[in-house]
Amino acid sequence: MTVMTAMKKNARALLSIGAGCLLLAGGFASYRHFFTNGLEQLPQEVCSGAVDREIAIRALPPSRSAEEGDRSGSPGQHFFFTCYVYAGDESTLSGESQAADSSVTTWVDFYEGKRGGDKLVRVRKGPVQALSLPGGLVSVYVPCTPPRTDPDEAVQSYALVTEARTIGETRTKGEDLREAVTDFAYAITKHAYRAGRCQERISFPANLSDAKVQAGSD
């Protein structure tokens, strides 16, 4: 065998190996896409149009399957709206909005009691306020007098209070997770405000991401 013949054979062998590696890589990429794109298969807006799917994708890890759903009560003093997104069997993003008789102070004090030694982050934009704790727990407060109800009947103040959280593994951590869950809770709040027919006429900001931020409460 001449040197040239041997070099050609080696070149063909290397090409075959390279092609095989590319096929394997392509197959792995297709496999990974097929088995991890469950969230991308959900509707563009989940929970009866309340939440953009991208918010769930930001918070939850890739998974083979995903599921979303919601429930809602009748407008009134016992109104509620719930929303959940499952990614696989272990990861969940969920939240609920409920009509409440609570002042801002009572609301803040409640979450102050749950924070332990963790820092409580509070954001506000106009009448809309949000509190968040490390680990993916967020609450949003907005004034909301139920339909056919006199505001003066409230013991404290009529409001719509939302709580949202993640359970299990998440796609991100820290500030990115806090922002994703805040966006989720805020989206639920805006939907519930309309569905619950609150008497106030609040102009909701587009988001809370550039709202005034402070640690703790005042």
Side-chain angles (χ1 to χ4, degrees):
M1 181 184 298
T2 65
V3 173
M4 185 60 69
T5 301
M7 290 177 64
K8 288 181 178 179
K9 286 187 175 182
N10 288 337
R12 284 196 294 270
L14 289 172
L15 287 172
S16 297
I17 293 172
C21 289
L22 287 173
L23 287 172
L24 286 172
F28 177 75
S30 298
Y31 176 90
R32 182 177 180 182
H33 177 75
F34 179 78
F35 285 100
T36 63
N37 71 336
L39 289 168
E40 286 81 358
Q41 301 304 313
L42 294 176
Q44 183 63 47
E45 294 181 329
V46 300
C47 295
S48 298
V51 182
D52 191 309
R53 179 182 65 197
E54 291 303 313
I55 295 176
I57 291 174
R58 284 163 51 200
L60 298 175
S63 65
R64 179 177 180 177
S65 62
E67 178 184 341
E68 57 89 19
D70 62 272
R71 294 179 59 238
S72 182
S74 300
Q77 294 188 19
H78 302 290
F79 172 76
F80 70 91
F81 174 74
T82 66
C83 170
Y84 70 85
V85 181
Y86 296 151
D89 298 325
E90 305 295 335
S91 299
T92 304
L93 176 62
S94 66
E96 56 280 331
S97 291
Q98 293 183 311
D101 187 341
S102 171
S103 67
V104 172
T105 299
T106 299
W107 170 67
V108 172
D109 287 346
F110 174 77
Y111 285 97
E112 281 280 3
K114 296 183 71 170
R115 72 186 180 95
D118 295 327
K119 182 176 72 171
L120 184 69
V121 177
R122 181 176 177 182
V123 300
R124 59 178 66 179
K125 183 176 283 188
V128 184
Q129 301 194 48
L131 297 171
S132 59
L133 289 166
L137 176 67
V138 173
S139 181
V140 176
Y141 179 103
V142 61
C144 171
T145 303
R148 302 177 301 280
T149 302
D150 185 342
D152 293 334
E153 294 177 3
V155 175
Q156 297 184 53
S157 299
Y158 285 125
L160 190 64
V161 176
T162 300
E163 183 176 292
R165 83 290 296 163
T166 56
I167 301 172
E169 293 297 320
T170 57
R171 180 185 290 264
T172 186
K173 303 290 183 183
E175 182 64 17
D176 289 340
L177 180 61
R178 186 188 73 81
E179 289 184 358
V181 181
T182 298
D183 288 346
F184 178 76
Y186 187 46
I188 292 175
T189 302
K190 290 189 290 184
H191 179 88
Y193 189 88
R194 295 189 297 270
R197 301 177 187 171
C198 300
Q199 293 187 42
E200 291 79 358
R201 292 294 180 265
I202 292 175
S203 180
F204 284 91
N207 57 66
L208 296 177
S209 60
D210 59 346
K212 178 182 177 182
V213 180
Q214 66 186 76
S217 61
D218 52 17

